[in-house]
Each structure stands twice: as structure tokens, then as C-alpha cells.
Amino acid sequence: QVTLWLRKIHGDQPVPQYEVNERTVDILYELVECNEAKDRDVSLLIEDMKQKATEYEAEANYLQGLLTESLDLSLSSLSSEGTSYLNALVNSAVALETKDTSLTSFFCAIDDMTSELYRTESKNREMELALSNSRKKLTTMLTLEKQAEEDLKKTEEHLEIEKTKADSRSQNLQYLKDKSEDLKIRINVAE
């Protein structure tokens, strides 16, 4: 089945060489199944489109016959202005995706589009509000971060000063201890 499919795909050209083993045959078989399923789907879609085209053509012929019989109108008898109005009506119906060109269909389609517009505008307002809140929070966070950095810098500078003072006091204390020992020794010697 894989070989027949490969020959069908490549047509008159020779099938390229490939390593024939269980794995490659399994992969190719899966491709065959997927390809055939897609072909069936496309065939069904084509048949559906042909059926719809036939239905639309029959509906157009019916409407044209209705116009011709009841109003004695045909596309050739319409003025250029009438033809442009008819084209505008058809284009509007297509753009609004109505099932026909009745006023009810137009009003329903316009109402649906208006509702969709309001929903979209509402979502946009919600998103703008959320974005605005996020910006405010971000600004606050950046301000706090900057303040924290400044506080950290001041603390490090203060710590450096205090460390210098502590080192100086430690040296003074060591000097006083040494001096005290020296004086004790002198006192003992003097005694």
C-alpha cells in the first residue's frame, strides 16, 4: 500500500530511494492514512461547495424569474444606477453575512455586529484599565526600587564610616592596652 501511494504521489518520476525498515514503513503508512483522510475531506468539501453553488444558482434563477415575471424587470433592463444599487445591496449582504437581502436579515446582522462592537469596546476598556493599573504599579515599584537602592547606598556609606571609626577605636584600645601593660611593668620595676 505504501509503494502504491508513493508511485501515485510521484507520478511519472521514479520513487526516491529510502531505507526500508519497520520504522520508515510505519511512518510512511501513517502518512498514507493521513493523506487519504485529507483527500476524502477535500472531496467532501468540493462536493459540498458544488452543491451550494447549484443551490445558489437555482435561488438566483428563481429570484431573477420572480423579478422578471412579477415586476417585468431583468438585469439588462436596469439602469446603471439601479445596477449599482443592486450591487451595493448584494455586497452589503455578503459583508454582513446575511442569508438573504431582506430588511430583517440586515437589521439582525447590523444588531449582531453592533453587539460585537460593544463587547469589543468593553473588553478594550477593561484591558486599558488593567494596563493603566499595571503601569501605576510598575511606576510605584520602580520608585520603591530606586529608593531602596539609595537607602542601600547610604547604609553602605554609613557602614564604611562606622567601620573606620571602629578600626580607629580598636587601634586606640590596643594602644591603651599596650600602654597599660607598659605602665604596669614600669610600676613593678619601680616598686
Side-chain angles (χ1 to χ4, degrees), residues 136-148:
K136 287 177 184 176
K137 288 178 183 178
L138 180 62
T139 304
T140 303
M141 293 298 290
L142 290 173
T143 303
L144 289 174
E145 181 183 15
K146 187 175 180 181
Q147 185 63 42

Side-chain angles (χ1 to χ4, degrees), residues 157-191:
E157 289 171 358
H158 183 70
L159 187 60
E160 191 65 34
I161 292 169
E162 290 299 318
K163 184 179 177 189
T164 305
K165 286 181 183 177
D167 288 345
S168 174
R169 287 180 186 153
S170 175
Q171 289 173 354
N172 287 342
L173 182 61
Q174 188 61 42
Y175 173 76
L176 290 175
K177 281 183 182 178
D178 291 345
K179 192 68 172 176
S180 172
E181 281 298 318
D182 184 49
L183 288 175
K184 281 182 188 176
I185 292 171
R186 283 187 183 182
I187 290 173
N188 283 338
V189 168
E191 286 178 347

Side-chain angles (χ1 to χ4, degrees), residues 51-79:
Q51 182 180 354
K52 284 184 179 178
T54 305
E55 290 172 5
Y56 288 147
E57 189 175 332
E59 179 75 15
N61 289 336
Y62 169 74
L63 291 174
Q64 188 173 3
L66 191 66
L67 284 173
T68 304
E69 289 173 16
S70 59
L71 300 175
D72 196 27
L73 286 176
S74 68
L75 286 176
S76 60
S77 69
L78 287 177
S79 66

Side-chain angles (χ1 to χ4, degrees), residues 18-52:
Y18 64 94
E19 184 178 336
V20 179
N21 60 35
E22 186 177 338
R23 184 171 183 274
T24 56
V25 171
D26 287 344
I27 291 171
L28 286 172
Y29 184 74
E30 287 179 25
L31 284 173
V32 168
E33 289 180 334
C34 289
N35 188 281
E36 288 176 351
K38 291 288 184 190
D39 285 348
R40 284 190 300 273
D41 291 345
V42 168
S43 296
L44 289 174
L45 187 62
I46 290 171
E47 288 300 318
D48 185 50
M49 295 280 230
K50 285 179 181 177
Q51 182 180 354
K52 284 184 179 178

